[in-house]
Amino acid sequence: MAKEVTPEQIAQIDEMVARAHTALDIIATYDQQRVDRLCQAVAAAVCDMKVWAPICDEAVDETSLGDKVTKRNKRNKIKLILRDCLRQPSVGIIEENPAKGLVKYAKPAGVIASLVPTTNPCLTPAGQIVYAIKARDVMICSPHPRAKVVTNKIIDIIRATLVREGAPADIIQGIKDPSINLTKVLMERCDLVIATGGRPMVKSAYSSGTPAYGSGAGNATVIIDDTCNTPERQKEAAENTRISKTSDFGSGCSCDGNLVIHESIYDDFVKALVAEGAYLANEEEAEKLKKVMWDETGHRLPNTVAISPQKLALAAGFEIPEDRKFIAVTGGGINDIGKEHFFSSEKLTTLLALFKYEGEFENALTMMQALFNVGGKGHSCGIYSFSDDHIHRLGMAAPVSRIMVRQPNNRGNAGSAWNGMPPTSSMGCGTWGGNIVSENITLKHYMNTTWVARPIAKDMPSNEELFGDFFKPGMDEE
């Protein structure tokens, strides 16, 4: 049961919001050079491996989620966010269109409430505050209760950096002892909410009465088609899967959950997965995994989220070799997909489901649609293919906001040095996933804009051009 909020706690939130507004008044006066330098200073402070590595270790220790080694790789996202921020204007005029007589000015969104997930207590506040500073916003973070210590450590590092640069520490603040109800109080008092995490958190943000950006649930599916037909291609595709499936022990919504593999390459590709570290669970082991992963109604159990494959196997009652990186179960075909088939739902751990499709590519699309009908609509899909036709057809059919082609899903969806996706730790999933935007939450979402329109020559086609075959005499009459 959620803890009731005391008058003292409400007063604490009110005092934090007041301090945030004071800081907002100051940062709103900064010019572009000052803003960019602050972004660099903050990013440099947290990206220092002497700082980042131990705090990632602490995050795993505090939450019991994720992998200490691969969690450290998430600092690359902060570097990508900084890269994009330094390439864009955010003060004064940010866009001009002389042909339309339009000029666009950037303004701060204001005081942002950030709901920080337990799976990303280091990356989320660090990356978001770089965007917030760039937009001349201020931010108050509400950590997940299981990650409140390490989240506030990251915040304290950033606050100290801001002070060294002569800026207000209160550009970023963190709630020390968060709760669900206290977070609701915070959201009601801010100008914008960014909710990164589970569905209940996002729904709470949307019902707060404050404008909010949220993320949707994932169930990433990757199609491996018949053009993955050489040992070199199979090795690359299997490596991509291993990278995506094992990053932070599969804690991200973008991590591969399901592979849909063409029958002509299925056996060879499974061998390539084994070479990359897959452990193939037999029928008995798969049944044990199902019982420890989900309850009888198909709700995922929390104790198996983001743990190593060895711990996952032990929880299920069997052992696997230490060199195995993830566990794969053979899901079967189209008849093995559905809400009653739990392996076709989201895993969020080091478990992967393999499905085989036969015949034409249309059958892969049918299976893909069936998997997203189980869950994960709006989030992520991938394809390993050298057929532009297949890639296009997936783009036309998939009910998702992002599709990665021949690259690790988890690395590419939220931005990569090897693709043009905007870097973020918060991914909107459109109306499919119950969100307002179907794109990565980035700098433009942290800003208000003022449009200035100057007069131009009249821009209105004739009625004949507008209505085409539907034009009728008399439409010109006023």
Side-chain angles (χ1 to χ4, degrees):
M1 190 161 179
K3 292 191 296 184
E4 291 296 322
V5 179
T6 67
E8 292 77 15
Q9 288 175 313
I10 293 175
Q12 175 199 8
I13 295 297
D14 287 339
E15 191 258 343
M16 292 176 74
V17 172
R19 284 161 44 199
H21 278 287
T22 299
L24 180 64
D25 289 342
I26 296 171
I27 193 174
T29 67
Y30 289 173
D31 62 18
Q32 191 70 73
Q33 184 178 6
R34 180 91 166 96
V35 164
D36 288 353
R37 179 177 171 83
L38 275 184
C39 290
Q40 289 176 311
V42 166
V46 294
C47 284
D48 183 346
M49 280 302 284
K50 293 179 181 178
V51 173
W52 185 254
I55 209 160
C56 286
D57 292 351
E58 289 181 46
V60 174
D61 292 337
E62 183 181 5
T63 65
S64 299
L65 297 174
D67 170 40
K68 292 182 178 180
V69 175
T70 55
K71 189 179 283 288
R72 297 175 185 181
N73 296 337
K74 292 184 176 182
R75 75 172 184 148
N76 292 327
K77 201 69 63 186
I78 301 170
K79 293 161 67 177
L80 287 166
I81 289 171
L82 178 63
R83 179 203 68 183
D84 275 20
C85 280
L86 295 177
R87 291 175 177 175
Q88 301 175 74
S90 63
V91 179
I93 295 174
I94 60 170
E95 187 179 325
E96 294 184 81
N97 188 332
K100 291 188 175 182
L102 296 175
V103 180
K104 192 184 295 185
Y105 293 79
K107 310 288 175 64
V111 181
I112 299 175
S114 170
L115 279 56
V116 182
T118 186
T119 52
N120 259 341
C122 307
L123 169 62
T124 296
Q128 287 185 352
I129 196 59
V130 174
Y131 273 137
I133 290 170
K134 179 71 179 187
R136 295 178 296 161
D137 295 320
V138 298
M139 179 172 283
I140 302 175
C141 293
S142 180
H144 190 285
R146 282 178 59 187
K148 62 184 180 183
V149 175
V150 73
T151 303
N152 276 294
K153 279 193 174 184
I154 280 284
I155 291 169
D156 288 343
I157 291 167
I158 295 172
R159 284 172 62 86
T161 303
L162 292 168
V163 171
R164 284 196 298 270
E165 288 297 313
D170 289 337
I171 286 173
I172 185 169
Q173 301 176 66
I175 298 177
K176 300 297 183 184
D177 190 18
S179 67
I180 293 174
N181 285 333
L182 196 59
T183 301
K184 289 180 179 178
V185 173
L186 172 68
M187 292 190 294
E188 290 169 359
R189 285 156 169 75
C190 290
D191 301 304
L192 176 67
V193 178
I194 300 179
T196 310
R199 185 69 177 155
M201 178 190 292
V202 174
K203 288 184 72 175
S204 178
Y206 286 158
S207 62
S208 67
T210 301
Y213 293 116
S215 302
N219 189 27
T221 294
V222 179
I223 296 175
I224 314 292
D225 75 3
D226 55 358
T227 66
C228 185
N229 54 6
T230 68
E232 294 76 20
R233 292 179 178 182
Q234 290 165 5
K235 182 181 187 307
E236 181 181 53
E239 181 182 33
N240 288 346
T241 293
R242 188 257 304 159
I243 291 170
S244 184
K245 183 73 267 182
T246 62
S247 175
D248 210 12
F249 286 158
S251 63
C253 293
S254 293
C255 292
D256 292 4
N258 312 291
L259 300 188
V260 176
I261 310 163
H262 192 262
E263 59 179 338
S264 66
I265 62 163
Y266 185 89
D267 291 341
D268 287 339
F269 188 70
V270 169
K271 292 176 183 176
L273 288 174
V274 171
E276 284 293 327
Y279 176 85
L280 296 181
N282 60 36
E283 191 173 327
E284 180 184 353
E285 292 166 338
E287 190 62 28
K288 290 179 177 179
L289 285 166
K290 183 169 69 173
K291 289 179 180 179
V292 78
M293 285 278 299
W294 296 276
D295 65 19
E296 293 180 355
T297 63
H299 288 92
R300 192 177 57 237
L301 299 172
N303 292 339
T304 56
V305 172
I307 60 175
S308 72
Q310 287 74 27
K311 286 184 178 179
L312 179 58
L314 283 175
F318 62 96
E319 296 184 16
I320 66 174
E322 284 299 316
D323 68 341
R324 297 297 83 189
K325 306 297 183 185
F326 58 98
I327 300 173
V329 296
T330 301
I334 185 64
N335 294 326
D336 300 291
I337 298 173
K339 292 188 182 295
E340 71 278 17
H341 300 288
F342 299 163
F343 286 119
S344 61
S345 62
E346 189 181 35
K347 290 88 174 167
L348 290 186
T349 194
T350 46
L351 179 67
L352 182 70
L354 310 181
F355 298 89
K356 183 192 296 185
Y357 79 94
E358 301 174 351
E360 298 301 316
F361 186 70
E362 192 64 32
N363 295 326
L365 297 180
T366 299
M367 293 179 75
M368 174 274 299
Q369 292 279 10
L371 284 162
F372 284 118
N373 285 336
V374 175
K377 274 187 179 178
H379 205 290
S380 306
C381 194
I383 184 169
Y384 192 94
S385 175
F386 289 85
S387 166
D388 287 337
D389 175 63
H390 287 181
I391 295 167
H392 169 68
R393 287 164 65 188
L394 178 63
M396 291 290 289
V400 298
S401 303
R402 46 197 68 81
I403 297 174
M404 296 300 106
V405 178
R406 299 193 305 274
Q407 56 192 300
N409 238 34
N410 80 302
R411 180 183 288 175
N413 281 329
S416 164
W418 291 274
N419 70 27
M421 293 293 291
T424 188
S425 62
S426 304
M427 289 177 277
C429 297
T431 56
W432 296 298
N435 303 149
I436 194 62
V437 295
S438 55
E439 57 188 351
N440 292 356
I441 309 302
T442 55
L443 179 60
K444 70 177 182 178
H445 302 101
Y446 287 71
M447 297 189 295
N448 287 321
T449 52
T450 299
W451 295 55
V452 175
R454 290 177 169 82
I456 60 173
K458 185 178 180 181
D459 180 15
M460 176 55 69
S462 67
N463 285 335
E464 290 92 334
E465 292 175 283
L466 279 174
F467 297 113
D469 292 342
F470 300 95
F471 175 76
K472 295 177 181 178
M475 283 184 168
D476 285 328
E477 296 178 5
E478 293 297 331

